[in-house]
Amino acid sequence: MVVYNGRLYVAPVLVVVVGWVYMYNGERRWTLVGDGLDRGVLSLAVYNGELYAGTGRGAFRVYKYTPGSSNVGIMNWTRVVDHPWDGTRELFVSRGFLLIGDSLYDRIGRWDGRRFYADMDAGGSCIYDFAEFGEYIYAAAYAGVLYRSRDGIRWERVLDYYWWGWNMWSLAVYKGKLFMGYNNGELRAWNGTGDPRGVLVFRAPDSILSMATDGVYLYFGTGGDAVGYGARSSGIANVYVYDGKNVFLISRWDEFGAGVQKILVVCPFLRASK
């Protein structure tokens, strides 16, 4: 999910089917604004005032929203990145680039508006999320691996495998700390000093797939991932809020189907998606 030009855009999180993107018109009305993308759309982002969609798995491609166009049967989107990696799991804007994380390996590339650069290929399995914390950009990966970069070009590993926690699904910066959501339900926080694994804040009943903050609260969603590497496809799909001291369940128990894939805070409303 992403807000672009004051409208909410949503893509169904599917693996190998054709990708779609919808625009919300209010009053439960939706318009299909993207059809025919080569794979399921795993991420949306706004970069330099334009809307982008990344697809995978099986096709590492990024599309730019170009209303009124038809690019080889793709409605309203033009392909700008087509690279022989597996798929675009996550898009993130930082350091003047659109950063792109792969869906099957620890690979990170970037798009500068004109050209794609394949910057890191470190083996492993999947880049799940990005966040800016302090002077670095951080990238969360399979089995609890964490990477960082000062410039979005050169990357280094700062955390190795965390087999007890497994996948580090989600990252968020809240009240001066980097929060990490793990496959085993751990919510951990790091203040930037000492062990980057941080301290345990809360243990959810299922994987913490997504996080978002409005600066006052930290929201996070749990469940099974739809498109991960070695992930369960179903789980306990709850939404929680953390106020800096306590965690509260704010959804009905297992309300959101298989899992809460994304959370988007659109003040004054909180949106969650299946």
Side-chain angles (χ1 to χ4, degrees):
M1 298 185 292
V2 73
V3 173
Y4 172 65
N5 285 347
R7 295 287 187 94
L8 177 66
Y9 289 76
V10 174
V13 181
L14 301 171
V15 180
V16 295
V17 301
V18 171
W20 304 292
V21 179
Y22 292 85
M23 180 179 68
Y24 184 54
N25 298 306
E27 301 298 329
R28 300 185 179 182
R29 293 178 293 109
W30 296 85
T31 299
L32 180 66
V33 297
D35 190 6
L37 284 82
D38 58 276
R39 295 289 191 277
V41 176
L42 304 190
S43 188
L44 296 167
V46 177
Y47 170 65
N48 285 346
E50 296 182 291
L51 179 60
Y52 287 82
T55 63
R57 293 173 53 185
F60 187 93
R61 292 170 181 160
V62 176
Y63 295 83
K64 183 168 67 173
Y65 186 43
T66 51
S69 68
S70 180
N71 174 29
V72 194
I74 302 169
M75 183 182 75
N76 289 331
W77 297 79
T78 299
R79 187 184 300 165
V80 296
V81 174
D82 189 351
H83 191 73
W85 285 355
D86 183 75
T88 57
R89 168 67 193 221
E90 188 68 18
L91 302 177
F92 184 74
V93 178
S94 182
R95 305 301 195 269
F97 304 118
L98 179 63
L99 302 178
I100 310 167
D102 190 70
S103 62
L104 188 60
Y105 293 94
D106 290 0
R107 295 165 169 164
I108 299 174
R110 59 193 160 96
W111 166 255
D112 66 1
R114 299 181 304 276
R115 178 182 171 186
F116 172 74
Y117 301 84
D119 293 315
M120 186 188 85
D121 189 345
S125 307
C126 195
I127 300 295
Y128 293 114
D129 203 4
F130 293 93
E132 288 184 343
F133 178 59
E135 58 186 307
Y136 293 99
I137 313 159
Y138 287 85
Y142 170 79
V145 173
L146 187 68
Y147 297 92
R148 72 181 181 186
S149 172
R150 291 180 185 271
D151 55 12
I153 301 172
R154 291 168 289 272
W155 295 84
E156 62 177 346
R157 181 183 290 190
V158 292
L159 279 177
D160 214 327
Y161 295 109
Y162 181 40
W163 295 113
W164 170 244
W166 276 85
N167 302 352
M168 191 189 300
W169 292 117
S170 52
L171 297 173
V173 177
Y174 172 64
K175 292 188 180 295
K177 296 179 180 179
L178 179 66
F179 282 76
M180 297 161 276
Y182 284 88
N183 190 65
N184 66 354
E186 288 186 359
L187 177 66
R188 305 187 72 89
W190 179 49
N191 64 8
T193 62
D195 183 1
R197 194 70 69 188
V199 298
L200 181 65
V201 174
F202 179 74
R203 188 184 297 275
D206 212 328
S207 306
I208 298 177
L209 299 180
S210 54
M211 289 193 284
T213 180
D214 57 5
V216 179
Y217 301 105
L218 176 69
Y219 305 92
F220 57 95
T222 66
D225 184 54
V227 289
Y229 180 92
R232 293 175 299 102
S233 59
S234 63
I236 302 170
N238 294 341
V239 177
Y240 298 84
V241 62
Y242 176 57
D243 64 4
K245 294 182 179 179
N246 300 294
V247 173
F248 304 93
L249 177 67
I250 60 172
S251 69
R252 293 189 297 272
W253 187 263
D254 200 15
E255 182 175 351
F256 291 96
V260 182
Q261 307 299 321
K262 290 288 183 181
I263 289 180
L264 176 66
V265 177
V266 185
C267 294
F269 302 107
L270 170 68
R271 309 286 189 188
S273 73
K274 294 182 181 180

